[in-house]
């Protein structure tokens, strides 16, 4: 994929399909190291499925025979010298605390580093497509934070759907303002 934001979208969609009511998307940048974590409370995967999910020829989908999201994220991470890890607990093994935790690290100064891309659009796509699910987003860089928690928005909005036109506009504008402030604080020009 041309941007990591597309990998994030794909893996977060997998979380939703796994029945997650809440998916956390966490980005941490420290120097030249970018850590991406996607944590969900979905049904989880068995050890056998976790081993298989990094295989590009494995998928639970019935519409195509190949699942590329996780293998491509793993490749993107490892081609920069980073690491990739999946941990998962099935609902059968732990009815209270189950789900999947994907961690990928990237060296951003490596020639094969895939740009982060438009994370705001990724979040808007997830919320628009799944207004009944919650997403927690946090991007930390140089002591500054861009964040969004749809659970907090629900409390304020009460019965207004998250995917209503005005709410989506506010979410997009709020994230863009936060990214502008982040860029001004560290000398970058917007999202990468």
């Amino acid at each position: 994929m041309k941007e990591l934001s597309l990998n994030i979208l794909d893996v977060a969609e997998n979380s939703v399909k796994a029945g997650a009511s809440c998916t956390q998307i966490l980005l941490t940048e420290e120097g030249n190291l970018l850590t991406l974590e996607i944590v969900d409370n979905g049904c989880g995967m068995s050890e056998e499925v976790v081993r298989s999910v990094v295989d590009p020829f494995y998928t639970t989908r019935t519409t195509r025979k190949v699942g590329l999201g996780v293998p491509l994220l793993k490749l993107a991470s490892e081609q920069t010298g980073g690491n990739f890890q999946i941990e998962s607990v099935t609902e059968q093994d732990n009815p209270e605390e189950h789900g999947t935790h994907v961690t990928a690290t990237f060296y951003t100064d490596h020639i094969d580093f895939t740009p982060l891309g438009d994370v705001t659009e990724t979040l808007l796509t997830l919320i628009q497509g799944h207004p009944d699910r919650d997403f927690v987003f946090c991007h930390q860089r140089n002591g500054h934070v861009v964040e969004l928690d749809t659970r907090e928005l629900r409390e304020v909005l009460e019965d207004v759907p998250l995917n209503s036109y005005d709410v989506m506009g506010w979410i997009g504008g709020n994230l863009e303002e936060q990214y502008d402030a982040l860029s001004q604080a560290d000398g970058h020009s917007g999202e990468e």
Side-chain angles (χ1 to χ4, degrees):
M1 295 192 191
K2 295 180 181 179
E3 299 178 347
L4 288 179
S5 59
L6 298 175
N7 292 102
I8 292 169
L9 178 63
D10 189 74
V11 175
E13 286 285 350
N14 290 343
S15 294
V16 171
K17 289 175 185 153
S21 62
C22 184
T23 302
Q24 298 176 57
I25 301 166
L26 313 169
L27 292 164
T28 306
E29 293 184 64
E30 296 174 346
N32 67 338
L33 182 67
L34 169 66
T35 302
L36 164 64
E37 294 178 83
I38 301 175
V39 183
D40 70 49
N41 63 355
C43 63
M45 296 180 283
S46 68
E47 288 181 28
E48 179 183 343
V49 172
V50 168
R51 283 192 300 273
S52 301
V53 79
V54 294
D55 177 355
F57 299 104
Y58 174 84
T59 185
T60 57
R61 290 177 59 137
T62 56
T63 55
R64 70 171 191 239
K65 302 264 190 230
V66 178
L68 294 175
V70 171
L72 287 176
L73 181 60
K74 181 178 188 288
L75 176 65
S77 171
E78 291 176 347
Q79 73 185 4
T80 71
N83 294 305
F84 181 84
Q85 182 177 358
I86 293 182
E87 298 170 339
S88 194
V89 176
T90 66
E91 193 168 7
Q92 293 81 7
D93 289 340
N94 189 336
E96 299 301 316
E97 295 195 28
H98 51 82
T100 302
H101 188 155
V102 174
T103 305
T105 58
F106 306 84
Y107 286 96
T108 59
D109 56 354
H110 193 281
I111 193 168
D112 290 325
F113 174 68
T114 304
L116 184 54
D118 194 342
V119 178
T120 296
E121 279 303 314
T122 293
L123 292 168
L124 289 172
T125 300
L126 288 166
I127 295 166
Q128 179 73 37
H130 310 287
D132 58 329
R133 307 298 172 94
D134 282 310
F135 298 94
V136 176
F137 174 73
C138 182
H139 185 171
Q140 298 180 45
R141 181 168 68 206
N142 299 328
H144 300 279
V145 179
V146 174
E147 55 193 343
L148 173 74
D149 187 336
T150 59
R151 298 171 300 185
E152 293 174 358
L153 292 177
R154 279 184 209 289
E155 288 179 20
V156 173
L157 296 171
E158 296 176 357
D159 295 329
V160 178
L162 289 180
N163 64 348
S164 69
Y165 180 80
D166 289 336
V167 173
M168 292 298 293
W170 183 88
I171 291 171
N174 180 269
L175 287 168
E176 291 297 334
E177 284 178 21
Q178 290 185 66
Y179 269 111
D180 287 346
L182 177 68
S183 296
Q184 289 174 4
D186 63 14
H188 287 99
S189 57
E191 289 179 66
E192 316 243 317

